[in-house]
Amino acid sequence: MPFSSLSEIQSRLSSGETTAVEVAKLYLDRIASYNDELNAFVHIDPTHVLAQAEASDKYRSEHDARPLEGLPIAVKDIFCTQDGPTQCCSNILKDFHAPYDAEVITKLKEAGAVLVGKTNMDEFAMGSSTETSAFGVCRNPWDTERIPGGSSGGSAAAVAAALTPAALGTDTGGSIRQPASLTGITGLKPTYGRVSRRGIIAFASSLDQAGPMTRTVKDCAMITAAISGHDPRDATSVSDAPVIDWLSACESRDMKGLKIGKPKEYFVDGMDAEVRASVEAALKKCEELGAEIIDISLPNTEYAIAAYYVIAPSEASANLSRYDGVRFGHRCEDPEDLLDMYTRSRDEGFGSEVKRRILTGAFALSSGYYDAYYLKAQQVRTLIQQDFTAAFEQVDVIATPTSPITAFKLGEKTDDPLTMYLSDIFTIAVNLAGLPGLSQPCGFAQNLPVGLQWIGPAWREDTVLSAASAYEAATEWSRRSPAAFGGES
Amino acid sequence: MSWEIVIGLEVHCQLNTDTKAFCGCSTQFGAEPNTQTCPVCLGMPGQLPVLNTVAVDKTILTGLAINAHINLESKFDRKNYFYPDLPKGYQISQFAVPIVEGGYIDIPTKDGGEKRLGVTRIHMEEDAGKSMHEGLDAVSHIDLNRSGVPLMEIVSEPDMRSADEAIAYLKQLHQLIRFLGVSGADMEKGQFRCDANVSVRRPGEPFGTRTEMKNMNSFRFIKQAIEFEVLRQIEIIEDGGEVVQESRLWDSVKCESRSMRSKEEAHDYRYFPEPDLPPLRVSQQEVDAIKAGMPELPGQLRKRFETEFGLSSYDADVLTQTLESAAWYESLVAAHPADPKRCANWMANELLGRLNDAGKELSESPVSAARLAELLNRIGDNTISGKAAKDVFDAMMESADSVDAIIEAKGLKQVSDSGAIDTIILEVMAANPAQVEGYRGGKDKLLGFFVGQVMKASRGKANPGMVNQRLLELLKG
């Protein structure tokens, strides 16, 4: 592996051992060597990457380095960028070029980052395997016959195989944490409202949140520090959110006295026994480090999936109405009339998972069904939020498996959407409650990575980061990387 | 057996904010198509709405002016439907919890009383764009300049029982909105548009099936459309048929309505809370501050003008049509406090009449209130007659010369010298001996003849009061 972390690159850049251009070339070479096999990137422009790296080296020679100076970061194809296409891995946005940068992209640029390219994803972030991408499936570097998780599977695979040291993903129901878990990397979904959603193509507005996918906890903190903050042009971005000293949170690696909640609903029959064993072992480790493990209950967890698969598709059905062939994106050939233009453009442009969710959402919102589905789901959401509020009166942080299973085989679940939806079973409640959640590697099952999920109270990313840092420092899991891609697992 | 008409109205009123409801684009009317748009109002991927708080304040002000309840927490919803001029595929509106609920508007009745008409709610929403189909050879063009312009939708209770009541309600509302300064309410520019829900029933029976006449922007057309629709529905029922619930369009050229879409084809708008906007919260202090800044409303002003200045209700109504005209009148009275009625007559009949003929607004008047007051002072001190004053006023509308200079130049100064008046009277008597004889013989009505002759002889300059007085004495003989 070229570098162990963003922090390592940062220190070598500041000591003058290497340059941003050298770092960029190194990763571009790896992308050239391995991307065909993984399909982690769907757009890459080496010339533009090198130009940014050169500019960063020049900046460093004239000024004090910015927080992410010269650090390569890839972004999911869901982030609008003025440079290159933004297609959300959908045919309906094929060749769409956004005339603006997402707020987080602007912030990355201002922090001096070098944007590497666009990573593969499930179409419109709808999926848990990156198999619904219109640009082909993405593969897991630990076993290329398996999925990398989703929907930020491209970002996860790219970081796991060290095609980039870090990437941005988005998380609506676990789309950062689940692929991080399945590819053995670290991913953080910040508190809803912490990071601006402006310029991120909306899937489910009340759930979507952008966050980093990296090799270490500290790297997550570095990127989150750069992208978070109030955006006056996003009304859901919170203006009075408590500010965190992200890096200091990672320094305090002491678990003594930390009360960790272990919810019984997240350790259930039917989950992979080895996954369970890995997570139990991780908790034991935390106990050795001085933490207190407290059995808790989040009684409404069993309704989270059902509520999510009503709320998210409902919002998506409206968010995706704008892809109608009128102003941008795909338009069918020679429409007969307006209705024909709408129906054929959308039929041709959207894949089947997206269509399934639009239909589900439209149905849940339709008159006569609204109360039974949408309204009921919102009531469940409130109960789930209350579960967490009650739990955090007892404990500082909650630890669970990120996913009940390890990476499954390509095609294994594509014909069974309901089973596929269950892969998000441990991540979804966190989105419904708007809380921060982090996944980090905590072992292997059948030679595939297993993820440990930390859930914190709203705005307490510091608790999550500090617990995860302590665990990371005491174990080796985050230093493993897939042998087939130059690692020494 | 008679029929009772039931009418409810929905008014869409464009708020006169500088920028759109959810982005910073200009709302200026008449710009080149698609020049006042940005990624937000074009519905581009990833773009988010941010609420214009000026629009909120104006809606609250309107709610307070109709004595409504202001919801300190209200919500925005998405109204979903596909149309080419609706860029996001949904319109941001308020469905479940509007910002304003439960007010009323009083309209004058024929017997001089008032009727109270309920306003169910006022909610905020964004306008859609405009589709242009004409003259484009089977191609439609879209102008999204209007997309995202803030609107108030003002929904009445079904309290109106005739087209006249509906129009009275609309006129009151229109005037109120202009008074509050929340909208230009220019109907030709579509800033004040109305949907009318109309049904008929036998008195005492439950509501009949209603139809909705969409998107009308002239009081005359609205009245015609309602009257046409009432007759159409009565005819259907009397012929044994049933009224179909549907939306209808008024064709102002053919003077008839036609079906737009029936209930069967009606949209299911799939309303749900707008996740991109948090609930709209306003504090009672903010509401109180808006209330404290509320101007005097037309009804209050009208009543004050009647009591304070002794005006007829007609004059008071004319002078309080706009806030500006009321203010103009008040400054006129301040400069000519001796006779508020004379002020009212001159402003209502002479000034507004002339401006109207010239197609001008009060703000464009070449005569200021102070200058008109000077003229009225010259009538008051008998320098000129009321009749001559009208000639002076005509000149004032054309030139900036002082009132006295115009009177001088036109030689209109009133003759109040009794010697000079006597001379004229004697000349007139000498020239009309038969009439003098007649008057002295008891034909009192001939006095008017002599007044006319004397005024004519003096070319209107003689002081009419003195002429009268001296004539009575000299004619006695």
Side-chain angles (χ1 to χ4, degrees):
Chain A
M1 287 289 138
F3 294 101
S4 64
S5 63
L6 278 184
S7 322
E8 189 197 340
I9 302 173
Q10 191 175 48
S11 66
R12 296 202 185 188
L13 284 170
S14 52
S15 70
E17 282 173 67
T18 189
T19 64
V21 169
E22 282 170 15
V23 172
K25 277 185 175 157
L26 193 149
Y27 284 103
L28 286 171
D29 284 350
R30 289 189 62 83
I31 292 168
S33 308
Y34 295 118
N35 194 51
D36 282 353
E37 204 172 339
L38 294 174
N39 198 25
F41 280 91
V42 293
H43 173 76
I44 189 100
D45 178 354
T47 316
H48 182 57
V49 174
L50 289 173
Q52 292 175 71
E54 274 166 30
S56 172
D57 284 332
K58 184 162 185 290
Y59 186 93
R60 186 185 287 277
S61 69
E62 293 165 356
H63 308 85
D64 289 339
R66 293 165 290 185
L68 301 175
E69 194 64 64
L71 302 180
I73 295 173
V75 303
K76 190 177 180 177
D77 196 24
I78 202 167
F79 293 93
C80 288
T81 52
Q82 281 180 305
D83 303 312
T86 300
Q87 304 174 98
C88 225
C89 288
S90 177
N91 281 323
I92 208 148
L93 274 175
K94 198 159 170 40
D95 300 326
F96 173 70
H97 284 248
Y100 42 83
D101 280 334
E103 174 69 3
V104 290
I105 299 292
T106 305
K107 285 184 170 262
L108 286 182
K109 286 181 173 174
E110 285 170 0
V114 172
L115 298 172
V116 184
K118 293 288 181 69
T119 58
N120 204 350
M121 59 182 282
D122 281 298
E123 182 182 2
F124 281 103
M126 295 178 188
S128 308
S129 65
T130 318
E131 290 171 292
T132 70
S133 168
F135 304 144
V137 301
C138 178
R139 290 166 187 271
N140 191 321
W142 293 92
D143 177 351
T144 54
E145 291 308 305
R146 291 177 186 270
I147 57 98
S151 64
S152 309
S155 288
V159 174
L163 307 191
T164 176
L168 283 191
T170 57
D171 191 315
T172 305
S175 283
I176 286 174
R177 291 159 288 151
Q178 184 257 18
S181 170
L182 269 41
T183 58
I185 63 165
T186 302
L188 171 67
K189 180 200 94 72
T191 308
Y192 181 82
R194 174 77 82 184
V195 176
S196 169
R197 293 186 297 111
R198 183 167 53 82
I200 300 172
I201 295 179
F203 162 14
S205 310
S206 73
L207 300 159
D208 297 344
Q209 185 71 145
M213 302 174 80
T214 62
R215 304 188 73 82
T216 68
V217 176
K218 189 183 170 194
D219 287 2
C220 269
M222 279 168 60
I223 295 180
T224 312
I227 63 173
S228 55
H230 175 57
D231 177 0
R233 286 183 283 172
D234 171 1
T236 62
S237 131
V238 174
S239 57
D240 54 358
V243 176
I244 282 187
D245 183 348
W246 301 87
L247 296 181
S248 296
C250 300
E251 303 298 324
S252 55
R253 292 178 180 173
D254 192 355
M255 273 208 195
K256 279 198 185 64
L258 185 72
K259 289 181 184 164
I260 301 174
K262 183 187 173 195
K264 65 174 189 221
E265 292 81 5
Y266 286 67
F267 293 84
V268 290
D269 293 340
M271 66 188 289
D272 185 294
E274 284 188 60
V275 168
R276 181 175 183 150
S278 292
V279 177
E280 302 265 14
L283 288 176
K284 193 123 196 90
K285 186 77 194 173
C286 294
E287 217 165 5
E288 286 167 29
L289 294 170
E292 187 187 348
I293 309 297
I294 297 169
D295 288 320
I296 58 164
S297 173
L298 299 166
N300 292 292
T301 301
E302 62 173 308
Y303 307 111
I305 292 251
Y308 175 87
Y309 279 98
V310 170
I311 293 168
S314 294
E315 293 182 11
S317 72
N319 283 333
L320 270 57
S321 297
R322 69 193 66 204
Y323 308 105
D324 56 5
V326 175
R327 286 150 301 125
F328 52 80
H330 174 74
R331 181 187 289 181
C332 69
E333 296 280 337
D334 302 321
E336 282 176 25
D337 55 22
L338 184 60
L339 186 63
D340 185 48
M341 185 174 94
Y342 286 150
T343 53
R344 267 204 298 131
S345 298
R346 287 167 69 82
D347 185 31
E348 292 163 8
F350 289 132
S352 57
E353 183 59 30
V354 173
K355 286 176 188 165
R356 182 156 35 237
R357 298 204 195 187
I358 291 173
L359 290 172
T360 306
F363 178 76
L365 293 174
S366 58
S367 73
Y369 297 98
Y370 180 90
D371 288 2
Y373 294 103
Y374 182 83
L375 202 60
K376 189 62 92 183
Q378 289 290 16
Q379 288 164 347
V380 169
R381 184 176 190 171
T382 304
L383 293 176
I384 287 169
Q385 286 163 345
Q386 288 168 355
D387 278 0
F388 280 109
T389 306
F392 286 121
E393 283 170 10
Q394 281 181 272
V395 299
D396 302 311
V397 66
I398 293 170
T400 77
T402 309
S403 163
I405 49 167
T406 52
F408 49 88
K409 290 204 161 149
L410 287 162
E412 193 180 322
K413 295 178 194 281
T414 40
D415 293 334
D416 188 356
L418 291 183
T419 309
M420 182 86 89
Y421 293 170
L422 292 175
S423 13
D424 303 331
I425 193 161
F426 294 154
T427 50
I428 271 176
V430 176
N431 297 81
L432 290 172
L435 306 177
L438 178 145
S439 178
Q440 70 180 150
C442 72
F444 282 81
Q446 301 98 34
N447 297 316
L448 293 165
V450 173
L452 170 67
Q453 175 176 235
W454 295 99
I455 304 166
W459 314 112
R460 294 310 302 270
E461 285 88 348
D462 53 343
T463 311
V464 169
L465 289 168
S466 118
S469 288
Y471 179 77
E472 183 185 68
T475 57
E476 295 289 321
W477 306 114
S478 67
R479 290 193 268 284
R480 302 281 190 93
S481 41
F485 295 87
E488 63 283 349
S489 73
Chain B
M1 198 178 184
S2 68
W3 290 95
E4 186 177 44
I5 302 164
V6 177
I7 302 165
L9 299 170
E10 292 168 21
V11 170
H12 283 93
C13 176
Q14 181 182 326
L15 290 162
N16 59 355
T17 52
D18 294 336
T19 58
K20 292 184 180 181
F22 301 113
C23 66
C25 287
S26 167
T27 54
Q28 197 73 41
F29 181 81
E32 283 290 300
N34 298 307
T35 53
Q36 295 178 165
T37 58
C38 72
V40 174
C41 58
L42 291 176
M44 298 288 273
Q47 293 294 330
L48 300 169
V50 177
L51 181 60
N52 181 342
T53 54
V54 178
V56 175
D57 291 352
K58 292 191 171 192
T59 307
I60 291 173
L61 180 62
T62 310
L64 292 171
I66 58 162
N67 304 292
H69 171 72
I70 308 299
N71 283 322
L72 298 182
E73 180 171 322
S74 60
K75 292 193 169 108
F76 287 94
D77 300 276
R78 290 185 182 177
K79 178 182 184 178
N80 295 280
Y81 61 98
F82 282 100
Y83 205 71
D85 64 19
L86 187 69
K88 296 189 294 293
Y90 57 83
Q91 183 182 19
I92 302 176
S93 180
Q94 292 194 304
F95 179 64
V97 190
I99 185 163
V100 175
E101 279 182 288
Y104 58 82
I105 283 176
D106 292 328
I107 57 163
T109 52
K110 280 183 187 136
D111 59 10
E114 278 184 341
K115 180 175 175 179
R116 180 155 291 183
L117 301 170
V119 175
T120 316
R121 58 189 274 160
I122 304 178
H123 64 252
M124 305 173 63
E125 61 183 32
E126 58 177 338
D127 210 342
K130 196 170 84 180
S131 301
M132 295 168 290
H133 311 289
E134 278 152 40
L136 291 166
D137 195 24
V139 177
S140 294
H141 288 191
I142 311 282
D143 176 10
L144 292 173
N145 281 351
R146 210 175 65 186
S147 166
V149 162
L151 303 177
M152 285 190 288
E153 181 169 331
I154 304 158
V155 183
S156 85
E157 293 287 311
D159 285 351
M160 286 137 264
R161 292 290 172 268
S162 68
D164 285 334
E165 285 187 6
I167 299 303
Y169 167 89
L170 288 172
K171 284 189 169 166
Q172 291 278 325
L173 184 59
H174 187 255
Q175 185 194 12
L176 180 68
I177 279 166
R178 288 171 52 104
F179 243 76
L180 295 171
V182 298
S183 171
D186 186 329
M187 297 178 81
E188 285 179 11
K189 290 179 183 169
Q191 294 170 347
F192 190 92
R193 334 191 272 265
C194 175
D195 299 343
N197 288 291
V198 179
S199 64
V200 298
R201 65 174 170 184
R202 301 288 188 189
E205 286 185 353
F207 288 138
T209 306
R210 66 190 165 86
T211 59
E212 187 179 26
M213 315 287 293
K214 300 290 284 186
N215 226 7
M216 298 174 286
N217 62 346
S218 127
F219 292 131
R220 191 160 61 92
F221 295 158
I222 295 165
K223 186 166 191 282
Q224 286 173 350
I226 291 172
E227 283 167 351
F228 177 90
E229 185 57 20
V230 164
L231 290 178
R232 194 186 70 89
Q233 290 187 10
I234 291 173
E235 209 165 279
I236 289 173
I237 299 170
E238 286 185 342
D239 288 350
E242 275 182 30
V243 175
V244 182
Q245 185 175 338
E246 61 183 357
S247 292
R248 298 180 68 83
L249 266 185
W250 177 248
D251 185 329
S252 57
V253 179
K254 291 182 183 164
C255 275
E256 60 183 37
S257 68
R258 62 171 184 270
S259 180
M260 216 167 119
R261 57 170 184 253
S262 69
K263 195 190 175 191
E264 284 74 25
E265 301 162 30
H267 280 102
D268 178 353
Y269 289 116
R270 291 172 285 118
Y271 280 103
F272 76 103
E274 164 58 276
D276 287 332
L277 290 168
L280 169 56
R281 292 192 178 88
V282 289
S283 68
Q284 189 59 50
Q285 286 86 335
E286 287 170 289
V287 173
D288 292 343
I290 292 168
K291 194 169 198 168
M294 185 153 67
E296 213 174 351
L297 300 179
Q300 296 167 307
L301 258 178
R302 205 160 47 230
K303 280 180 188 140
R304 184 162 68 78
F305 278 18
E306 287 175 31
T307 52
E308 192 173 331
F309 303 124
L311 303 188
S312 68
S313 67
Y314 176 81
D315 280 348
D317 190 45
V318 169
L319 297 177
T320 55
Q321 278 305 304
T322 66
L323 203 55
E324 193 194 6
S325 68
W328 211 98
Y329 173 72
E330 292 210 78
S331 58
L332 179 60
V333 174
H336 181 71
D339 197 342
K341 276 191 181 175
R342 179 181 283 155
C343 289
N345 288 338
W346 273 82
M347 184 175 162
N349 303 329
E350 305 301 328
L351 177 73
L352 295 179
R354 280 173 176 78
L355 289 174
N356 195 35
D357 291 345
K360 283 185 176 167
E361 298 290 323
L362 184 57
S363 58
E364 301 166 297
S365 170
V367 176
S368 67
R371 215 156 148 246
L372 177 55
E374 275 180 49
L375 178 65
L376 302 189
N377 287 337
R378 289 294 165 269
I379 301 173
D381 66 13
N382 286 325
T383 306
I384 54 172
S385 67
K387 189 169 178 295
K390 290 179 185 178
D391 291 342
V392 178
F393 192 55
D394 282 335
M396 287 164 70
M397 294 293 284
E398 304 296 328
S399 95
D401 292 346
S402 78
V403 172
D404 289 337
I406 293 171
I407 293 170
E408 199 63 43
K410 285 188 169 280
L412 289 173
K413 203 164 183 176
Q414 191 159 255
V415 176
S416 299
D417 170 356
S418 61
I421 287 174
D422 284 359
T423 309
I424 297 170
I425 289 174
L426 293 172
E427 279 170 16
V428 168
M429 286 170 67
N432 298 285
Q435 280 78 0
V436 173
E437 201 63 31
Y439 181 84
R440 287 182 175 157
K443 289 185 178 175
D444 290 351
K445 282 181 184 170
L446 280 168
L447 181 65
F449 165 78
F450 285 107
V451 172
Q453 290 297 310
V454 174
M455 290 309 287
K456 194 176 166 189
S458 76
R459 287 179 294 135
K461 291 188 284 185
N463 180 330
M466 290 184 70
V467 170
N468 249 320
Q469 191 201 327
R470 292 300 301 152
L471 265 173
L472 286 170
E473 286 171 22
L474 293 171
L475 280 171
K476 275 185 197 159

